[in-house]
Amino acid sequence: MKIIRLKPGKERSLQRHHPWVFDGAIAKGGADAGETVRVDSAEGQFLAWGAYSPSSKIRVRAWSFDQAQRIDAAFFRETLRRALALRERMGIASNGLRLVHGESDGLPGLVVDRYGNTLVAQFGAAGVERWKDVIADALVELTGCPRLYERSDASSRALEGLPEVTGWLRGDGATAFELQEHGWRLGLDIALGHKTGYYLDQRDSRLALFEYTKRLKFAQVLNCFSYTGGFSVAALAGGAGHVTSIDSSGPALEQARSNLLLNGLDPAQATFIDGDVNASLRQFVAEGRQFDAIVLDPPKLAPTAAHAERAARAYKDINRLAFKLLPPGGVLFTFSCSGGIGVELFHKIVASAGLDAGVDGAILQRLGGACDHPMTINFPEGEYLKGLVVMKKL
Ligand code: SAH
């Protein structure tokens, strides 16, 4: 068993059961990609078992803080079983849900989503890459789902020195799927869609938009970064008069159009703009347009804290433009899914965007990722998705 020895004083975060060891914390030791190592303090005290990743700044990701734990097939099966049992206990009423959410489920780098009886997995770190076969077998056995598709094509794989891989790991067949969420039908494709096919993490926020629309009777809704129109369906189902959806992905907008039809909604109440959100917002401001509700759900602008400053400017810009498009009493649903931007910083960015736009707002609600994407006590980085519902003051 290879031992990684930390520098003096670097044992604190593992002692708090945070799963990451950065390269700068290591005094000596090394191993192959994904190999199980024992991590010791400078004094030689056991801290954790983890997976070594020679090319990543996150050099070790912990599997267990229990010295008696063996890291073997039984360990992965049991950890997966517990992640699945947690979802079962959460009682989520959708045929699409996240079964494994990486570090928050004790399996650093692994994401598994379930769509009906098909699983979609992302192997995002050297450790889970090495145990891929064991994990795939256990997933199929524990869920009873015969099909498992791999979507290891996130750009973060490069940080781990891993190539992009996609395709069937177990079973095969069609990759189109019809998600049922809050009684709506949403078509997606696990091979061609973003991430594993859909943004399951925004499930609760789509329901929130539906409910606000019913209550506040929004006439004009603007859905920025709409992807396949989940928020657009929510607004129209809630009785919105018209929804304008903007996305830079043509195929996503095609899917959005067909999702409207799938739900019996009237295409005459929808406009789709294939373009850049920033440019469209500027154009709407120039034209003096107004929207009663605006959704801003941009892609990850700051993957890590190092990108936070530049990303903060980009977030502020779109939020400032959106505030200008709201009439008094209009509502902004604004989100950030950047791990590098915390809840407080996001709040500050939105506040300063409002200030620049000359707008004061009442925060009606804070939103976050759905519960099958848990944030855990030991891994606050799990709280990557945050949102604010802000009403422009009258
Ligand atoms: N709200 C969506 C998820 C949005 S993900 C949902 O609930 O499903 C972010 C989306 O932003 C992606 O669909 C991506 O294609 C789009 N996008 C990224 N940059 C963009 C830009 N500059 N202008 C418009 N759309 C953009």
Side-chain angles (χ1 to χ4, degrees), residues 283-319:
Q283 189 188 333
F284 290 154
V285 170
E287 293 168 356
R289 293 276 300 270
Q290 301 257 275
F291 296 91
D292 306 297
I294 301 178
V295 179
L296 280 185
D297 186 19
K300 203 190 314 178
L301 301 175
T304 71
H307 304 80
E309 203 170 310
R310 189 154 36 102
R313 278 197 294 277
Y315 280 116
K316 182 173 163 186
D317 232 29
I318 49 174
N319 279 278

Side-chain angles (χ1 to χ4, degrees), residues 337-392:
C337 61
S338 292
I341 296 206
V343 179
E344 274 186 47
L345 177 56
F346 184 58
H347 189 143
K348 276 191 194 148
I349 291 168
V350 175
S352 87
L355 203 61
D356 279 13
V359 168
D360 194 7
I363 295 177
L364 303 186
Q365 196 179 342
R366 291 176 184 275
L367 297 171
C371 66
D372 46 343
H373 301 62
M375 162 183 57
T376 61
I377 291 167
N378 299 325
F379 189 66
E381 287 87 343
E383 187 179 19
Y384 65 105
L385 178 59
K386 51 253 147 204
L388 290 172
V389 184
V390 189
M391 179 179 275
K392 180 169 165 176

Side-chain angles (χ1 to χ4, degrees), residues 181 194-195 197-203 205-206 223-232 246-250 252-253 273-280 295-301 318 335 337:
E181 180 181 90
H194 296 178
K195 305 211 289 183
Y198 201 60
Y199 294 86
L200 296 170
D201 50 1
Q202 286 285 41
R203 183 191 306 119
S205 297
R206 285 186 284 267
N223 181 11
C224 301
F225 308 98
S226 67
Y227 188 49
T228 55
F231 280 107
S232 309
I246 312 174
D247 203 280
S248 56
S249 157
L253 289 175
I273 300 175
D274 184 347
D276 172 57
V277 162
N278 206 294
S280 298
V295 179
L296 280 185
D297 186 19
K300 203 190 314 178
L301 301 175
I318 49 174
F335 300 93
C337 61

Side-chain angles (χ1 to χ4, degrees), residues 15 21 26 31 39 52 75 84 87 109 117 152-153 158 174 218 227 234 236 251-252 274 282 295 300 316 324 327 354:
Q15 281 170 340
V21 179
I26 295 176
V39 185
Y52 194 78
F75 164 78
L84 301 179
R87 300 326 187 270
N117 69 356
S152 299
D153 55 350
F218 300 135
Y227 188 49
L236 288 172
D274 184 347
R282 279 173 207 280
V295 179
K300 203 190 314 178
K316 182 173 163 186
K324 282 179 180 275

